[in-house]
PDB file of all heavy atoms in Angstrom:
ATOM      1  N   ALA J 923      88.934 108.828  45.728  1.00 97.00           N
ATOM      2  CA  ALA J 923      89.509 108.220  44.431  1.00 97.00           C
ATOM      3  C   ALA J 923      90.522 109.344  43.852  1.00 97.00           C
ATOM      4  O   ALA J 923      91.516 109.051  43.348  1.00 97.00           O
ATOM      5  CB  ALA J 923      88.390 107.890  43.356  1.00 97.00           C
ATOM      6  N   GLU J 924      90.051 110.699  43.818  1.00 95.00           N
ATOM      7  CA  GLU J 924      91.019 111.607  43.278  1.00 95.00           C
ATOM      8  C   GLU J 924      92.185 111.925  44.021  1.00 95.00           C
ATOM      9  O   GLU J 924      93.148 112.488  43.574  1.00 95.00           O
ATOM     10  CB  GLU J 924      90.141 112.851  43.023  1.00 95.00           C
ATOM     11  CG  GLU J 924      89.145 112.678  41.884  1.00 95.00           C
ATOM     12  CD  GLU J 924      88.288 113.936  41.548  1.00 95.00           C
ATOM     13  OE1 GLU J 924      88.394 114.956  42.316  1.00 95.00           O
ATOM     14  OE2 GLU J 924      87.624 113.810  40.577  1.00 95.00           O
ATOM     15  N   TYR J 925      92.152 111.567  45.367  1.00 93.00           N
ATOM     16  CA  TYR J 925      93.123 111.988  46.279  1.00 93.00           C
ATOM     17  C   TYR J 925      94.560 111.494  45.763  1.00 93.00           C
ATOM     18  O   TYR J 925      95.537 112.117  45.773  1.00 93.00           O
ATOM     19  CB  TYR J 925      92.935 111.351  47.671  1.00 93.00           C
ATOM     20  CG  TYR J 925      93.843 112.092  48.609  1.00 93.00           C
ATOM     21  CD1 TYR J 925      93.381 113.416  49.157  1.00 93.00           C
ATOM     22  CD2 TYR J 925      95.104 111.711  48.954  1.00 93.00           C
ATOM     23  CE1 TYR J 925      94.211 114.143  49.959  1.00 93.00           C
ATOM     24  CE2 TYR J 925      95.873 112.539  49.803  1.00 93.00           C
ATOM     25  CZ  TYR J 925      95.350 113.796  50.289  1.00 93.00           C
ATOM     26  OH  TYR J 925      96.275 114.530  51.052  1.00 93.00           O
ATOM     27  N   PHE J 926      94.578 110.209  45.250  1.00 92.00           N
ATOM     28  CA  PHE J 926      95.896 109.794  44.566  1.00 92.00           C
ATOM     29  C   PHE J 926      95.712 109.719  43.164  1.00 92.00           C
ATOM     30  O   PHE J 926      96.375 108.751  42.555  1.00 92.00           O
ATOM     31  CB  PHE J 926      96.210 108.418  45.323  1.00 92.00           C
ATOM     32  CG  PHE J 926      96.565 108.410  46.728  1.00 92.00           C
ATOM     33  CD1 PHE J 926      95.932 107.865  47.735  1.00 92.00           C
ATOM     34  CD2 PHE J 926      97.642 109.373  47.119  1.00 92.00           C
ATOM     35  CE1 PHE J 926      96.261 107.937  49.067  1.00 92.00           C
ATOM     36  CE2 PHE J 926      98.033 109.536  48.342  1.00 92.00           C
ATOM     37  CZ  PHE J 926      97.345 108.796  49.386  1.00 92.00           C
ATOM     38  N   GLY J 927      95.014 110.527  42.437  1.00 92.00           N
ATOM     39  CA  GLY J 927      94.980 110.650  40.996  1.00 92.00           C
ATOM     40  C   GLY J 927      94.140 109.714  40.399  1.00 92.00           C
ATOM     41  O   GLY J 927      94.185 109.637  39.044  1.00 92.00           O
ATOM     42  N   GLY J 928      93.162 109.101  40.959  1.00 96.00           N
ATOM     43  CA  GLY J 928      92.154 108.281  40.192  1.00 96.00           C
ATOM     44  C   GLY J 928      90.840 109.263  40.063  1.00 96.00           C
ATOM     45  O   GLY J 928      90.952 110.415  40.044  1.00 96.00           O
ATOM     46  N   GLY J 929      89.718 108.559  39.766  1.00 97.00           N
ATOM     47  CA  GLY J 929      88.460 109.297  39.593  1.00 97.00           C
ATOM     48  C   GLY J 929      87.348 108.370  39.540  1.00 97.00           C
ATOM     49  O   GLY J 929      87.410 107.218  39.576  1.00 97.00           O
ATOM     50  N   ILE J 930      86.110 109.043  39.397  1.00 98.00           N
ATOM     51  CA  ILE J 930      84.916 108.242  39.403  1.00 98.00           C
ATOM     52  C   ILE J 930      84.068 108.960  38.260  1.00 98.00           C
ATOM     53  O   ILE J 930      83.999 110.145  38.124  1.00 98.00           O
ATOM     54  CB  ILE J 930      84.141 108.250  40.651  1.00 98.00           C
ATOM     55  CG1 ILE J 930      84.877 107.645  41.749  1.00 98.00           C
ATOM     56  CG2 ILE J 930      82.763 107.518  40.462  1.00 98.00           C
ATOM     57  CD1 ILE J 930      84.121 107.473  43.037  1.00 98.00           C
ATOM     58  N   ALA J 931      83.478 108.068  37.223  1.00 98.00           N
ATOM     59  CA  ALA J 931      82.698 108.691  36.323  1.00 98.00           C
ATOM     60  C   ALA J 931      81.383 107.951  36.365  1.00 98.00           C
ATOM     61  O   ALA J 931      81.414 106.654  36.458  1.00 98.00           O
ATOM     62  CB  ALA J 931      83.295 108.559  34.952  1.00 98.00           C
ATOM     63  N   VAL J 932      80.254 108.467  36.146  1.00 98.00           N
ATOM     64  CA  VAL J 932      79.006 107.884  36.239  1.00 98.00           C
ATOM     65  C   VAL J 932      78.334 108.086  34.815  1.00 98.00           C
ATOM     66  O   VAL J 932      78.228 109.009  34.226  1.00 98.00           O
ATOM     67  CB  VAL J 932      77.997 108.551  37.251  1.00 98.00           C
ATOM     68  CG1 VAL J 932      76.583 108.025  37.283  1.00 98.00           C
ATOM     69  CG2 VAL J 932      78.528 108.273  38.754  1.00 98.00           C
ATOM     70  N   GLN J 933      77.930 106.915  34.356  1.00 98.00           N
ATOM     71  CA  GLN J 933      77.203 106.882  32.994  1.00 98.00           C
ATOM     72  C   GLN J 933      75.817 106.301  33.300  1.00 98.00           C
ATOM     73  O   GLN J 933      75.647 105.202  33.695  1.00 98.00           O
ATOM     74  CB  GLN J 933      77.906 105.880  32.133  1.00 98.00           C
ATOM     75  CG  GLN J 933      79.106 106.461  31.470  1.00 98.00           C
ATOM     76  CD  GLN J 933      78.845 107.497  30.378  1.00 98.00           C
ATOM     77  OE1 GLN J 933      77.706 107.475  29.774  1.00 98.00           O
ATOM     78  NE2 GLN J 933      79.802 108.355  30.072  1.00 98.00           N
ATOM     79  N   SER J 934      74.791 107.120  33.067  1.00 98.00           N
ATOM     80  CA  SER J 934      73.477 106.591  33.270  1.00 98.00           C
ATOM     81  C   SER J 934      72.702 106.269  32.031  1.00 98.00           C
ATOM     82  O   SER J 934      72.816 107.130  31.048  1.00 98.00           O
ATOM     83  CB  SER J 934      72.668 107.647  34.114  1.00 98.00           C
ATOM     84  OG  SER J 934      71.310 107.592  33.835  1.00 98.00           O
ATOM     85  N   LEU J 935      72.094 105.194  31.947  1.00 98.00           N
ATOM     86  CA  LEU J 935      71.211 104.843  30.812  1.00 98.00           C
ATOM     87  C   LEU J 935      69.857 104.970  31.331  1.00 98.00           C
ATOM     88  O   LEU J 935      69.361 103.852  31.769  1.00 98.00           O
ATOM     89  CB  LEU J 935      71.606 103.434  30.329  1.00 98.00           C
ATOM     90  CG  LEU J 935      71.131 102.990  28.934  1.00 98.00           C
ATOM     91  CD1 LEU J 935      71.489 104.062  27.855  1.00 98.00           C
ATOM     92  CD2 LEU J 935      71.733 101.608  28.569  1.00 98.00           C
ATOM     93  N   TYR J 936      69.223 106.041  31.355  1.00 98.00           N
ATOM     94  CA  TYR J 936      67.975 106.293  31.950  1.00 98.00           C
ATOM     95  C   TYR J 936      66.947 105.302  31.520  1.00 98.00           C
ATOM     96  O   TYR J 936      66.724 105.109  30.265  1.00 98.00           O
ATOM     97  CB  TYR J 936      67.488 107.752  31.839  1.00 98.00           C
ATOM     98  CG  TYR J 936      66.304 108.053  32.745  1.00 98.00           C
ATOM     99  CD1 TYR J 936      66.276 107.666  34.143  1.00 98.00           C
ATOM    100  CD2 TYR J 936      65.264 108.679  32.253  1.00 98.00           C
ATOM    101  CE1 TYR J 936      65.214 107.887  34.901  1.00 98.00           C
ATOM    102  CE2 TYR J 936      64.191 109.108  33.065  1.00 98.00           C
ATOM    103  CZ  TYR J 936      64.154 108.599  34.362  1.00 98.00           C
ATOM    104  OH  TYR J 936      63.181 108.963  35.282  1.00 98.00           O
ATOM    105  N   GLY J 937      66.245 104.672  32.414  1.00 97.00           N
ATOM    106  CA  GLY J 937      65.247 103.635  31.984  1.00 97.00           C
ATOM    107  C   GLY J 937      65.863 102.260  32.045  1.00 97.00           C
ATOM    108  O   GLY J 937      65.031 101.305  31.931  1.00 97.00           O
ATOM    109  N   TRP J 938      67.104 102.085  32.148  1.00 98.00           N
ATOM    110  CA  TRP J 938      67.766 100.966  32.153  1.00 98.00           C
ATOM    111  C   TRP J 938      68.669 100.647  33.384  1.00 98.00           C
ATOM    112  O   TRP J 938      68.422  99.783  34.240  1.00 98.00           O
ATOM    113  CB  TRP J 938      68.648 100.698  30.859  1.00 98.00           C
ATOM    114  CG  TRP J 938      69.296  99.355  30.726  1.00 98.00           C
ATOM    115  CD1 TRP J 938      70.494  98.982  31.031  1.00 98.00           C
ATOM    116  CD2 TRP J 938      68.594  98.241  30.211  1.00 98.00           C
ATOM    117  NE1 TRP J 938      70.664  97.638  30.805  1.00 98.00           N
ATOM    118  CE2 TRP J 938      69.548  97.183  30.208  1.00 98.00           C
ATOM    119  CE3 TRP J 938      67.285  97.845  29.607  1.00 98.00           C
ATOM    120  CZ2 TRP J 938      69.288  95.846  29.745  1.00 98.00           C
ATOM    121  CZ3 TRP J 938      67.078  96.569  29.096  1.00 98.00           C
ATOM    122  CH2 TRP J 938      68.019  95.541  29.283  1.00 98.00           C
ATOM    123  N   GLY J 939      69.809 101.414  33.432  1.00 98.00           N
ATOM    124  CA  GLY J 939      70.694 101.147  34.543  1.00 98.00           C
ATOM    125  C   GLY J 939      71.734 102.166  34.575  1.00 98.00           C
ATOM    126  O   GLY J 939      71.836 103.226  33.749  1.00 98.00           O
ATOM    127  N   THR J 940      72.749 101.937  35.544  1.00 98.00           N
ATOM    128  CA  THR J 940      73.956 102.868  35.601  1.00 98.00           C
ATOM    129  C   THR J 940      75.137 102.084  35.601  1.00 98.00           C
ATOM    130  O   THR J 940      75.301 101.062  36.143  1.00 98.00           O
ATOM    131  CB  THR J 940      73.768 103.655  37.001  1.00 98.00           C
ATOM    132  OG1 THR J 940      72.434 104.154  37.055  1.00 98.00           O
ATOM    133  CG2 THR J 940      74.804 104.658  37.258  1.00 98.00           C
TER     134      THR J 940
END
Side-chain angles (χ1 to χ4, degrees):
E924 287 180 356
Y925 200 85
F926 291 121
I930 299 184
V932 172
Q933 282 287 337
S934 153
L935 193 55
Y936 189 46
W938 184 266
T940 304

